[in-house]
């Protein structure tokens, strides 16, 4: 709930800044929602396979599952880069079919930048969710709850509020912060998996 509230505030800030900000942010959000299924699917698969390995007392093979999830996300990232770069004009016209030439020209550069930023955001989110899948299988739910709830406020909402809203900066700056948030959150999840603390949880110690 805190995570969703944070994203709602993010788009509220984009609305407060300008029509340009909220238009670009809304189109990019639509693409993120459309493509987020892949990261979710890989995460669910990671969680299911890791859970089976934990139950079979073969936790040492979880690293192979993680590497497979990482490779899948990079493949999807490459596909998105090709699609969003090659079809950027068609995507813009799909979302703005009645926009004038002047409106399209004023939005095009920002949208193309944010399409690229969306690809990197989805990549880092996909990697984060791979690690989250392992932690879910291990029962490390407290870390996932706290990490998911507070990271969006500390790493996204705070910086966007001070640097973009108060500083009246561009929507491109806001999406750079989004990439920073996703990368930083992913590194926190990676650290949790790499540290091995999840292996000491009661769920695994009883296996």
């Amino acid at each position: 709930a805190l995570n969703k509230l944070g994203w709602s505030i993010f788009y509220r800030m984009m609305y407060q800044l300008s029509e340009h900000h909220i238009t670009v942010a809304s189109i990019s959000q639509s693409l993120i929602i459309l493509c987020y299924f892949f990261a979710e699917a890989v995460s669910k698969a990671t969680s299911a396979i890791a859970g089976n390995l934990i139950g079979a007392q073969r936790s040492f093979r979880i690293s192979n599952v993680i590497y497979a999830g990482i490779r899948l996300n990079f493949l999807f990232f490459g596909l998105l880069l090709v699609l969003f770069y090659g079809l950027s004009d068609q995507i813009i016209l799909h979302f703005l079919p009645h926009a004038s030439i002047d409106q399209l020209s004023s939005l095009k550069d920002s949208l193309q930048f944010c399409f690229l930023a969306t690809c990197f955001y989805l990549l880092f989110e996909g990697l984060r969710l791979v690690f989250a899948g392992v932690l879910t299988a291990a029962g490390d739910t407290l870390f996932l709850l706290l990490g998911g709830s507070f990271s969006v406020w500390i790493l996204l909402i705070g910086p966007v509020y001070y640097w973009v809203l108060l500083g009246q900066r561009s929507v491109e700056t806001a999406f750079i912060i989004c990439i920073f948030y996703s990368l930083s959150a992913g590194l926190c999840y990676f650290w949790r998996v790499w540290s091995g603390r999840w292996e000491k949880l009661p769920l695994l110690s009883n296996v």
Side-chain angles (χ1 to χ4, degrees):
L2 286 174
N3 186 287
K4 293 179 180 178
L5 177 60
W7 279 107
S8 298
I9 292 174
F10 172 83
Y11 287 103
R12 176 65 182 178
M13 288 190 287
M14 295 299 102
Y15 173 79
Q16 289 178 301
L17 281 163
S18 72
E19 182 180 349
H20 181 94
H21 282 74
I22 190 58
T23 300
V24 174
S26 297
I27 293 173
S28 300
Q29 180 198 32
S30 298
L31 294 175
I32 290 171
I33 292 173
L34 176 66
C35 299
Y36 206 78
F37 76 92
F38 186 85
E40 287 280 5
V42 173
S43 177
K44 297 294 184 184
T46 300
S47 182
I49 297 172
N52 289 333
L53 290 173
I54 290 170
Q57 298 185 356
R58 303 178 72 183
S59 299
F60 61 91
R61 298 198 62 182
I62 289 178
S63 60
N64 295 333
V65 180
I66 294 173
Y67 293 143
I70 291 173
R71 287 195 295 269
L72 286 172
N73 276 287
F74 270 99
L75 286 173
F76 190 62
F77 168 71
L79 176 63
L80 289 181
L81 279 179
V82 172
L83 290 176
F84 286 176
Y85 179 79
L87 301 175
S88 61
D89 290 340
Q90 290 88 332
I91 294 172
I92 293 171
L93 288 174
H94 174 77
F95 283 102
L96 302 169
H98 305 298
S100 66
I101 295 177
D102 291 338
Q103 289 174 319
L104 290 174
S105 61
S106 67
L107 290 167
K108 184 175 180 179
D109 289 342
S110 293
L111 282 169
Q112 288 181 332
F113 179 90
C114 290
F115 289 168
L116 179 63
T118 294
C119 292
F120 281 95
Y121 173 80
L122 287 168
L123 170 64
F124 296 139
E125 276 294 284
L127 299 180
R128 180 181 70 84
L129 289 178
V130 168
F131 303 132
V134 174
L135 297 175
T136 299
D140 198 0
T141 52
L142 179 59
F143 175 83
L144 293 172
L145 174 64
L146 296 177
S149 297
F150 292 107
S151 61
V152 68
W153 291 88
I154 297 171
L155 301 172
L156 178 67
I157 300 305
V160 169
Y161 176 76
Y162 285 107
W163 291 336
V164 181
L165 184 62
L166 297 184
Q168 294 291 300
R169 290 185 171 87
S170 66
V171 67
E172 289 92 334
T173 303
F175 270 82
I176 290 173
I177 294 173
C178 286
I179 294 174
F180 166 77
Y181 150 71
S182 185
L183 174 61
S184 300
L187 289 174
C188 290
Y189 282 52
F190 167 75
W191 168 82
R192 185 69 173 183
V193 172
W194 178 79
S195 69
R197 294 187 180 185
W198 54 276
E199 295 180 303
K200 301 174 184 178
L201 294 172
L203 178 65
L204 270 71
S205 61
N206 294 328
V207 173

